Amino acid sequence: MSGPGRRGVTGGVRGTTRVYGILGDPVAHSLSPAMQNAAFAAAGIDGVYVPFPVAAADLAATMTGLFAVGVAGLNVTVPHKEASARLCVALRPRARACGAANTLIRTPRGWVGDNTDGAGLVASLAERRFDPRGKNVLLIGAGGSARSVAHAFARAGTRLLIVANRTPQRAVDLVATLRRRDAYAADLRVLANPEVLGRLDLIVDCTSTSLGSGVLPPIRFADTRRDLLCCDLMYGKTSRFLAAAHHAGRRTVDGGGMLLHQGALAFTLWNGTPAPIGAMRRALGRATRRASAR
Ligand code: NDP
C-alpha cells in the first residue's frame, strides 16, 4: 500500500490500493464512506475507505493492527474520539486543545491525531457568509463536539463566547481550557435571558437532544436579533431547535456542512491535496437522502 496511486478504484481494489477507514461503535450508519470513496474516485486516488466497527476494549489493538497492515488514514467517531487521542504518538494542536481526535494521520512513528470537527463547522458557516471573528456566540452543550467547536471559535476570534450546559460544571471545565477572558460558562437558564439573547449573532446547539434524548428549554426568539443565525450539529432531519428558529424567521444551518468540511479537511491531511468538495457534497447529499428514506 505504499505510494498514492492516481488511477482511482474504478477498476476494483488492487494490491496497490491504499486503505482508509472510520472507527466507531456503531459505525454502519456513517455517511463518511460514501463521501470519502467519492472523493478518492474524483481525485483519481487509488484508495478505498471502509467502516470498522470497534468495541472500546478493542480500540488499542485495532489502531496498532491497522497501522501494522499499512492503513493510510483513519477517522474516528463516537465513542472513541477521546480514547484514540490518548493512544496516538502525538497530537496536533487542535486535537490536543480539546483532548479528542477525529482524524488519525499515518506517520513513520505511528498515528498522529488531529481534530477537524470545529474547523469543519467554521468552514460550513463561511459558506453561509458567517465569519465568527468579532461575533457573539452562544454554544449549547459541553460534550465532545462542543469542545472542538468552542476551540475553533476561540481560534477564529469570537468577541463573546458563552458555553451553556445542562451540567454547568462541564461548561466551566470547557471554558477553563479556552483560556480566554471573553468566554463564559453558564447553565441553561441563559436560554431565557433576554439581555444575552439580544446580543447574539449565532447560537449553536451541540447537544444530543436532537437525537431524541430530551428537550432544551425553549428560546424566546422574539428577544433575539433578526439576523441571528441558528445552527444544529445534527443533520439528515430538521431538529426542534432549527424548526422553531425557522418558524421565528431566523436563518438556520444544520450539521451537514460540518460533516462535509470535517471530511474534506481530513482528506487533505491524509493526501496533501485539496479535497474535491463538489464530488463529496453530491455523494453526501445522495447518502443523506438514502439514510432519511430508510
Ligand atoms: P456528547 O454525548 O459528547 O455530548 C452531549 C451533550 O448534550 C452534553 O453537553 C449533554 O449535557 C447534552 N445533553 C444531552 N441530553 C441533554 C438534555 N436532555 N438536556 C440538555 N442537554 C443535554 O455528544 P457529542 O458532542 O459527540 O454530539 C452532540 C451532537 O453533535 C450529536 O447530535 C451528534 O450527532 C452531533 N455531531 C455532529 C457532527 C457533524 O459533523 N455534523 C460531528 C459530531 C457530532 P450534559 O453534559 O449535562 O450531559
Side-chain angles (χ1 to χ4, degrees), residues 77-95:
T77 188
V78 176
H80 301 316
K81 290 184 183 182
E82 283 89 0
S84 66
R86 289 193 293 272
L87 291 164
C88 284
V89 294
L91 295 176
R92 299 261 173 96
R94 292 184 298 201

Side-chain angles (χ1 to χ4, degrees), residues 2 4 11 105 200 278 282:
S2 60
I105 303 147
L200 299 174
R282 287 189 293 278

Side-chain angles (χ1 to χ4, degrees), residues 100-136:
N102 81 328
T103 303
L104 306 185
I105 303 147
R106 186 182 181 86
T107 73
R109 289 188 301 135
W111 294 118
V112 168
D114 202 340
N115 195 312
T116 65
D117 280 335
L121 178 64
V122 170
S124 136
L125 294 175
E127 290 190 330
R128 303 295 298 269
R129 301 185 197 288
F130 185 93
D131 178 357
R133 178 168 297 279
K135 300 292 196 318
N136 299 331

Side-chain angles (χ1 to χ4, degrees), residues 17 21 32 49 60 96 124 153 155 237:
T17 302
S32 291
Y49 182 105
R96 196 180 321 120
S124 136
F153 282 146
R155 270 193 305 276
K237 56 179 185 174

